[in-house]
Amino acid sequence: MTGARRVDSRVLRRLLACVAPYRVQAAGAALALVAAASAVLAFGAGLRWLVGHGFATGTGAPLDQALRAMLAIVAVLAAATAARAYLVAWIGERVAADLRRRVFDHVLGLSPGFFETSRVGDIISRLVADTTIVQTVVGSSVSMALRNALLVAGGTAMMAVASPRLTLVTLAVLPCVVVPIIVFGRRVRALSRASQDRLADTGADVEETFNAIATVQAFGREGDRRAGFADRVEAAVAASQARNRARAALAGVVILLVFGA
């Protein structure tokens, strides 16, 4: 556990270092994130106000005021969400591009012995596919995680004001929600890594075949290469499907536990 946390912290620091050159855009995304989360929390309070001061009064003026307030909240939510989505996607693209350049520059400087013991397909997969995963993490996953964290913190604070007893009950069952999610999350991460490895095997097989295409055709080994490639493709599909099943199970568990709690 300690080693895993140490590795995760190192990865997090490296990601932050990659984002550091774009701190202005990151600050803008953070502000938009806070505004969007605040608007979501305010929407619930706005609905209560709409019912209590709008429909309940039976008169037009309070209802108009409540509806205008709700429209303002929706406008803020829409604008903040659009700004956050654009900025985090932009940052993700730039970070992925920077990583690809750094990896390519690093590989170019390695000794010939490295290329004798490494498959070019693996290197290409790391350069293209793995950096795409980083782009997804930076450009989407981190933003959604922070958004959900803000919503949880704000919702807990609002609930504590409304009902301290209900808040204590909810916090008491929180470990029953978090622990299964952590367990499933680790399983999904391991399967994602296995899926990337099988995809790298496929790329390596293509590279090896086409580099020796003259020899393959001269000895009539096209059928063997087709069968071998088909096996690798099926292995990659099987790994991806296992990952997808784990992700689907994780989504179901999260919904069941969160709403059940």
Side-chain angles (χ1 to χ4, degrees):
M1 290 293 293
T2 303
R5 287 195 295 268
R6 188 179 300 112
V7 172
D8 291 342
S9 64
R10 286 203 301 266
V11 173
L12 180 59
R13 286 196 297 270
R14 289 176 179 176
L15 281 177
L16 291 176
C18 293
V19 177
Y22 312 108
R23 56 177 61 88
V24 174
Q25 291 81 1
L31 290 175
L33 180 65
V34 172
S38 300
V40 171
L41 294 172
F43 194 80
L47 285 176
R48 183 177 60 183
W49 189 36
L50 176 63
V51 173
H53 295 77
F55 295 115
T57 58
T59 57
L63 179 60
D64 290 341
Q65 293 176 357
L67 289 175
R68 282 194 293 268
M70 291 292 293
L71 181 60
I73 294 173
V74 171
V76 171
L77 176 60
T81 301
R84 177 191 61 82
Y86 172 77
L87 288 173
V88 297
W90 187 92
I91 294 171
E93 293 282 355
R94 292 308 315 167
V95 168
D98 292 345
L99 285 177
R100 290 188 180 112
R101 283 196 298 267
R102 291 170 61 181
V103 172
F104 186 78
D105 293 344
H106 175 72
V107 172
L108 281 181
L110 296 176
S111 65
F114 170 80
F115 295 96
E116 293 177 359
T117 58
S118 301
R119 299 182 302 181
V120 176
D122 286 342
I123 299 173
I124 295 174
S125 178
R126 304 309 177 207
L127 184 63
V128 178
D130 288 9
T131 51
T132 301
I133 293 177
V134 175
Q135 174 185 337
T136 301
V137 171
V138 175
S140 176
S141 301
V142 171
S143 173
M144 295 303 297
L146 292 175
R147 173 181 177 272
N148 291 336
L150 288 175
L151 289 177
V152 169
T156 302
M158 294 175 66
M159 187 168 60
V161 173
S163 175
R165 182 179 179 183
L166 179 60
T167 303
L168 292 176
V169 173
T170 303
L171 293 177
V173 301
L174 187 61
C176 299
V177 177
V178 174
V179 172
I181 292 175
I182 293 175
V183 173
F184 270 94
R186 288 177 177 171
R187 175 63 175 167
V188 170
R189 184 170 59 183
L191 291 173
S192 296
R193 183 65 181 182
S195 176
Q196 288 301 113
D197 290 340
R198 300 294 77 75
L199 187 61
D201 292 339
T202 303
D205 188 79
V206 172
E207 186 268 335
E208 292 172 0
T209 300
F210 289 161
N211 278 347
I213 189 62
T215 303
V216 171
Q217 292 176 343
F219 287 91
R221 309 300 295 180
E222 294 92 340
D224 293 339
R225 300 309 299 176
R226 289 192 185 99
F229 181 73
D231 290 341
R232 293 191 182 278
V233 168
E234 288 302 320
V237 170
S240 297
Q241 294 291 12
R243 177 198 60 194
N244 294 336
R245 286 193 296 270
R247 285 180 174 175
L250 176 60
V253 168
V254 168
I255 293 175
L256 176 63
L257 293 177
V258 170
F259 284 93

